[in-house]
Amino acid sequence: MSLTWRLRIRMDDRPGTLARIAIRLADLECNILGLTVLPVPGGVLDEIVVRPATGLTREHLVTAIRAEGCECAGIVDADVRELVDTSAAMLVAAGRVVDDPAQLADVLREVLAADMVTLVPAAEANPARTEGGHREVFEVDGDKALVARRGWAPFVQLELARAGALLGLLESVRANVAGPVVVSCQDGADLVLRQGRPGDADAVFALHDRCSMTTLFQRYHTGVRTVPRRWLHRLLVPPRGVSLLAVSGREVVGLGQLIAAPGGESAEVSLLVEDSWQRNGLGTALMARLAVIARARGHRELTAVCLPSQDTIARTATRAGLRPEKPAQGDGMVKIPLP
């Protein structure tokens, strides 16, 4: 593939300035492949992608631009595959992240033409450290942030606005994924799956009261007849996680939980389905919806802690279209990769 360069040229916003630069590039036998105008305070910043003449050095090109009264704010190798309409590129990038939230850092790096984008804990992001415009922090949620760095040219406001719009779109998608949905059980009954709230405490307590000791033992791995009320808030609003309720009328008949592990690569999943609603597809619906929410939150894997003799979670995950790994002999941990 032929060599291409991406130039950022700061110039006065006056008629004829860009024409002089184009003529000078033509004199140097540079073929202009793309042009983007980025408004900046006090003028404009033109991004020009060129295929330089054989033997032309970057230093010679920068000197020629300076001779026209303009400033080359940055020059870096480019790829002709990047020469697509900006709006189309943004839509394609958004689609990639909606399909696979784990690609967010890579997609943001491409959108910003950054050298690197890293995911860090929000407490370590230090947004005040801008490094003269070469470093920018984007908050992802309350716990994490993306740090973008670019050495060859400072970020400009238009680029940051594009990145902010992309993150805003993804946040809307994530919020919509967490919204209520209607599912049908095998017997034709329709239920609502929605996120749990503190106000659901009484209904969730009643769910546990209606469950048999066997069902509660399979969920909590200890002999309990019901749950202490002090547990209810953590069941509904788990730290680093979310709860998912299956609601029939005013009754909660199923409860799922998704709790992120440190680092965010995996999340622990757990299910509780009232005895009279078991073997009716409700557990499968809860598992499938929790997998969707987990993918939207950027998790790559679900885990579940089971008794060594239990395979209920694995069978439920399989029916939900997932492919759980077979646990090691005597190991109660089931791993479920997310596609």
Side-chain angles (χ1 to χ4, degrees), residues 287-329:
M287 175 66 77
R289 190 62 181 167
L290 287 170
V292 170
I293 295 173
R295 283 194 294 265
R297 288 171 168 249
H299 302 306
R300 293 179 178 271
E301 178 186 70
L302 297 178
T303 62
V305 178
C306 305
L307 297 174
S309 59
Q310 283 185 349
D311 64 351
T312 306
I313 282 285
R315 287 188 286 109
T316 301
T318 301
R319 287 194 296 267
L322 304 173
R323 296 182 177 180
E325 298 176 356
K326 187 175 181 179
Q329 187 68 28

Side-chain angles (χ1 to χ4, degrees), residues 3 24 64 75 142 296 321 336:
L3 178 67
R24 180 56 68 97
I75 180 170
I336 309 169

Side-chain angles (χ1 to χ4, degrees), residues 1-293:
M1 185 176 294
S2 301
L3 178 67
T4 54
W5 290 339
R6 185 198 302 267
L7 314 174
R8 289 255 168 126
I9 304 174
R10 186 182 295 272
M11 60 183 70
D12 295 332
D13 191 10
R14 292 202 303 264
T17 306
L18 179 58
R20 293 201 315 272
I21 290 294
I23 292 171
R24 180 56 68 97
L25 291 174
D27 290 341
L28 295 173
E29 298 183 1
C30 291
N31 185 20
I32 297 177
L33 303 176
L35 169 66
T36 304
V37 178
L38 305 171
V40 295
V44 294
L45 192 66
D46 285 2
E47 180 175 283
I48 302 177
V49 179
V50 301
R51 179 172 289 129
T54 303
L56 180 66
T57 65
R58 296 188 183 191
E59 292 75 13
H60 190 177
L61 183 56
V62 170
T63 300
I65 292 170
R66 191 178 297 123
E68 295 296 334
C70 301
E71 174 194 355
C72 185
I75 180 170
V76 68
D77 288 341
D79 191 327
V80 292
R81 288 174 296 184
E82 301 171 7
L83 299 177
V84 296
D85 176 72
T86 302
S87 299
M90 285 289 294
L91 290 172
V92 171
R96 285 173 54 198
V97 184
V98 169
D99 289 339
D100 184 4
Q103 293 192 43
L104 177 55
D106 288 339
V107 168
L108 188 62
R109 179 181 57 78
E110 294 176 11
V111 167
L112 290 172
D115 297 326
M116 62 186 304
V117 174
T118 53
L119 185 67
V120 301
E124 301 174 10
N126 191 9
R129 180 183 157 200
T130 63
E131 299 178 3
H134 292 269
R135 182 181 187 271
E136 189 67 29
V137 173
F138 302 90
E139 184 176 326
V140 178
D141 53 35
D143 299 322
K144 299 183 288 295
L146 290 164
V147 179
R149 294 180 175 85
R150 188 170 70 190
W152 64 275
F155 297 111
V156 300
Q157 192 58 43
L158 181 60
E159 294 175 305
L160 301 180
R162 289 172 183 162
L166 174 64
L167 295 173
L169 171 64
L170 297 175
E171 181 59 34
S172 297
V173 171
R174 186 160 44 239
N176 186 54
V177 164
V181 296
V182 177
V183 297
S184 297
C185 291
Q186 293 173 2
D187 64 0
D190 289 335
L191 299 176
V192 175
L193 303 186
R194 64 167 175 83
Q195 188 169 325
R197 300 183 291 264
D200 296 311
D202 288 342
V204 170
F205 184 80
L207 163 67
H208 285 78
D209 260 355
R210 295 193 301 271
C211 289
S212 66
M213 289 190 66
T214 299
T215 293
L216 294 177
F217 184 80
Q218 290 177 341
R219 166 61 180 86
Y220 297 105
H221 305 161
T222 185
V224 294
R225 181 62 192 88
T226 186
V227 293
R229 282 193 170 269
R230 66 178 183 275
W231 287 14
L232 295 175
H233 183 78
R234 291 178 67 86
L235 286 173
L236 288 164
V237 191
R240 308 187 315 279
V242 65
S243 65
L244 185 66
L245 304 184
V247 182
S248 174
R250 295 185 178 181
E251 289 187 340
V252 173
V253 297
L255 167 66
Q257 274 193 317
L258 187 73
I259 301 177
E265 285 288 307
S266 65
E268 183 179 345
V269 64
S270 59
L271 301 175
L272 175 68
V273 175
E274 185 179 330
D275 293 59
S276 60
W277 285 87
Q278 292 176 14
R279 293 173 292 280
N280 196 19
L282 177 52
T284 302
L286 283 169
M287 175 66 77
R289 190 62 181 167
L290 287 170
V292 170
I293 295 173

